[in-house]
Amino acid sequence: RRLPSRRPFPSAMECDDEARPPISSKPYILLQHDWHLSIRDAVRRYRKGKAAAGGSRAAASGTAKVEKDESDVKIVEPAGLKLQPPPEFITTVWVSAFREGEPCVESHGDFDVVFAGDDAPTKKASCYWKRTDETRFSATLQHFNQEQPERGPRVLVTSNELKYSSTIVAPDHAWDEVMKDLVVPAPKYQYDRQNVRAIYALDISPFVDLAVAGTTNGLMRVFSVKDGHIYKALRPHTNAQTGRKSSPMQTGGHVGDISVNKFFPSGKVILSGSSDRLLKIWAVEHAQCVKTFTGHQDRISQVCFLDKTGRRFVSASMDKTLRMWDCSGAEAVKIHGEKKDSLFGQIHDCEALEDGSCIMLADSLGKLSFLDLRSSNVDSSQISTDKLMAVAVSSIGHECFAGTDSGEILCLDRRKMSKYLFSVKKNNAEIRSILLVNDQALITTASDGSTTKWKIYGENADCNVIAEYVGPDCEPVNCSIIAASSENFGNGKSENTTLMTAAADGIVRKYTL
């Protein structure tokens, strides 16, 4: 499942000394979270109009002429031939640009989209802000092509005042059906957060055909990555006569919030952890719990497989312990941090190296710990005064990344935990998850509803925000997962990297990186 690696960090990123580098605050651009909905509708109607007019176009006298000016590409249709809707479409959105130490640049105005015709030099669409706004922001709308029409639109937005550009990416799909029947209907135009089942765990199978999402009340659902269709529901079993839930200590489901769920390498079995302090193994085909592991004294925060079969795995918990398990046994093989003077705080996240020999831990004390499972040696470093909420480890280099509850992202050398490489920050929103993409970019999700792509490679060894994945309306994005896959399009197979996120609004969103 690991994505192909490219090249390691350039040595220029290393600091000359071991002192912590100053936090580099990066600029970023925000666009209205639902900007793509009206544009999607316009694109559908435009394509439908072109398809309906296809026969008429061939029979019409003369062909469409294309006039190009400096700002956009417009279609001039031949006499007697009309496309519905017209190629020009206007919607109203807001956009903001932020940079530390400078006033916020924001605008709320018309967003003019102009579609290019078949005879135009490009099949993409262009867009711009009209009136006074065009002096503050400019934009280029991308990824409207016939080969991949289901791809979410994305727009390159440039702040002319801050001299900064960023790509805003809309989701390919947003599935509220995954947990739809769990949402209690609220009055129209009123959003009640208490009536929504937030999703806290998400994973994609190794074959990129199925995904699993876990929510409150111990429910998990397995669904199709392609269309979001529900495949199986993994829920607490009930007694047919009494209607009561079966004991969670037996083969019943979880009774607490699902905090983590992961597919085994086979793709047919799922491992889950919950706030009920239990670990469970599920057979996907039969939607049944086949084994339960006990021992943790607090919420389970993360699990990691240690081999390609999934037979051995570790679980991290808020009880400040890391436990190693074997699927053939009922008790933990080894427990790290069990003593009262444990070096660990409450463990929020962990990640195993590719060979499963070592684990990187992020805890509530602001410490990043590198645990060698073979010798039980621990190399810990106090890297922050804030809580560490997420961690990621490079597969080809020695770099590791940690995100804090104050929005800071730290990069260190795991061979020497006191050696900082860089420290960046966008805002003060808590980092909920960190993913590495081809060891060349970071994907972070945060409590302000943002999913951000950071570029961490380049000639200048800089780290900047290069893309924002929109969708949630300020609802925390709790988890994310990426996977590489091959898809069939009109011109053959295409290699794609899929990003899926789940937020507190109970919606799973799918993007193409």
Side-chain angles (χ1 to χ4, degrees):
R1 292 184 60 192
R2 189 172 292 277
L3 298 172
S5 302
R6 301 297 174 86
R7 56 190 177 89
F9 276 89
S11 58
M13 296 186 71
E14 298 185 3
C15 302
D16 296 333
D17 52 28
E18 297 181 6
R20 176 171 175 171
I23 300 175
S24 176
S25 295
K26 299 298 181 178
Y28 61 99
I29 292 176
L30 293 181
L31 190 61
Q32 187 168 316
H33 74 283
D34 58 353
W35 69 274
H36 58 286
L37 297 181
S38 56
I39 294 179
R40 270 184 183 273
D41 181 61
V43 173
R44 290 193 188 99
R45 290 186 286 122
Y46 177 65
R47 286 184 177 142
K48 186 176 180 180
K50 286 209 304 182
S56 302
R57 180 180 293 275
S61 59
T63 57
K65 299 180 181 180
V66 178
E67 296 181 354
K68 184 176 181 182
D69 55 31
E70 296 181 355
S71 60
D72 53 63
V73 178
K74 296 184 178 180
I75 302 174
V76 179
E77 300 169 350
L81 179 63
K82 293 293 182 181
L83 296 183
Q84 295 295 330
E88 189 168 325
F89 179 80
I90 298 177
T91 185
T92 301
V93 299
W94 60 259
V95 61
S96 301
F98 302 87
R99 175 178 285 165
E100 187 181 31
E102 299 185 24
C104 170
V105 180
E106 55 186 341
S107 176
H108 190 279
D110 291 337
F111 192 60
D112 191 357
V113 182
V114 182
F115 297 100
D118 295 334
D119 300 324
T122 175
K123 287 187 177 182
K124 295 180 180 179
S126 62
C127 62
Y128 55 88
W129 271 268
K130 298 185 70 176
R131 304 192 186 105
T132 58
D133 298 327
E134 60 183 336
T135 62
R136 311 184 75 179
F137 292 95
S138 59
T140 302
L141 199 61
Q142 303 171 331
H143 292 287
F144 281 131
N145 55 68
Q146 299 299 327
E147 289 78 14
Q148 301 171 351
E150 71 282 0
R151 293 287 178 84
R154 59 183 66 193
V155 60
L156 179 65
V157 182
T158 301
S159 171
N160 300 324
E161 295 186 19
L162 297 184
K163 307 297 183 184
Y164 173 74
S165 300
S166 181
T167 301
I168 311 297
V169 184
D172 300 344
H173 303 283
W175 297 312
D176 58 351
E177 293 85 357
V178 174
M179 301 295 174
K180 190 171 184 178
D181 61 332
L182 299 179
V183 179
V184 180
K188 194 174 182 180
Y189 306 118
Q190 181 179 348
Y191 180 71
D192 188 353
R193 297 169 188 261
Q194 296 180 353
N195 290 336
V196 177
R197 297 288 188 184
I199 300 176
Y200 294 112
L202 183 69
D203 193 34
I204 301 177
S205 75
F207 305 104
V208 201
D209 55 344
L210 296 175
V212 58
T215 182
T216 57
N217 201 27
L219 176 68
M220 292 180 289
R221 281 191 171 158
V222 182
F223 58 96
S224 170
V225 172
K226 184 177 181 180
D227 55 16
H229 176 73
I230 303 298
Y231 178 65
K232 295 289 182 180
L234 312 180
R235 65 179 73 225
H237 297 288
T238 57
N239 187 298
Q241 296 179 350
T242 64
R244 296 179 180 178
K245 295 180 180 179
S246 60
S247 171
M249 306 297 287
Q250 302 170 0
T251 57
H254 290 288
V255 295
D257 299 347
I258 302 296
S259 53
V260 59
N261 50 27
K262 285 192 175 182
F263 279 95
F264 275 73
S266 66
K268 299 179 180 180
V269 186
I270 291 175
L271 175 65
S272 63
S274 170
S275 59
D276 60 11
R277 305 173 293 179
L278 300 178
L279 288 162
K280 290 181 177 290
I281 295 179
W282 300 78
V284 176
E285 186 65 28
H286 304 288
Q288 291 183 353
C289 174
V290 296
K291 192 164 188 176
T292 300
F293 299 92
T294 62
H296 281 295
Q297 303 301 312
D298 206 337
R299 179 176 67 88
I300 296 169
S301 55
Q302 189 58 275
V303 294
C304 297
F305 295 111
L306 302 179
D307 53 43
K308 295 181 179 180
T309 64
R311 182 182 179 89
R312 297 186 307 121
F313 63 91
V314 295
S315 60
S317 172
M318 302 296 282
D319 63 5
K320 306 180 182 180
T321 66
L322 182 83
R323 296 174 185 252
M324 185 187 300
W325 308 84
D326 192 295
C327 289
S328 60
E331 297 182 356
V333 176
K334 197 166 187 178
I335 304 175
H336 299 275
E338 189 176 22
K339 298 180 180 179
K340 293 183 179 180
D341 57 347
S342 171
L343 294 175
F344 308 139
Q346 293 179 326
I347 304 175
H348 290 285
D349 194 16
C350 67
E351 184 169 338
L353 297 189
E354 193 169 7
D355 60 1
S357 61
C358 301
I359 298 286
M360 187 68 69
L361 307 170
D363 64 31
S364 59
L365 301 179
K367 291 192 301 184
L368 197 61
S369 302
F370 189 64
L371 171 62
D372 191 329
L373 297 176
R374 298 163 296 187
S375 62
S376 298
N377 291 333
V378 181
D379 181 13
S380 298
S381 178
Q382 183 83 33
I383 66 172
S384 176
T385 56
D386 301 317
K387 296 179 181 179
L388 300 185
M389 307 303 296
V391 66
V393 182
S394 172
S395 60
I396 59 174
H398 301 284
E399 297 74 29
C400 57
F401 304 87
T404 71
D405 63 349
S406 63
E408 184 180 359
I409 301 172
L410 293 161
C411 179
L412 300 95
D413 190 329
R414 60 180 170 84
R415 296 170 298 179
K416 193 173 183 180
M417 301 294 289
S418 60
K419 190 171 188 179
Y420 291 88
L421 301 181
F422 64 78
S423 174
V424 295
K425 188 174 184 178
K426 193 180 76 170
N427 54 28
N428 294 325
E430 176 186 305
I431 302 295
R432 294 293 177 92
S433 68
I434 298 180
L435 295 173
L436 268 171
V437 183
N438 292 340
D439 278 276
Q440 293 187 358
L442 284 177
I443 299 288
T444 62
T445 63
S447 60
D448 63 350
S450 65
T451 300
T452 307
K453 185 176 183 180
W454 303 74
K455 184 178 180 181
I456 54 177
Y457 294 90
E459 296 179 358
N460 299 324
D462 201 0
C463 182
N464 290 313
V465 175
I466 58 174
E468 295 281 353
Y469 297 85
V470 300
D473 185 10
C474 298
E475 293 294 329
V477 182
N478 297 318
C479 47
S480 59
I481 186 70
I482 55 175
S485 63
S486 297
E487 298 183 18
N488 291 317
F489 295 103
N491 57 351
K493 283 191 174 182
S494 176
E495 293 290 335
N496 299 299
T497 302
T498 298
L499 167 68
M500 295 184 72
T501 65
D505 57 6
I507 298 177
V508 176
R509 293 174 174 87
K510 176 185 175 183
Y511 306 85
T512 300
L513 296 183

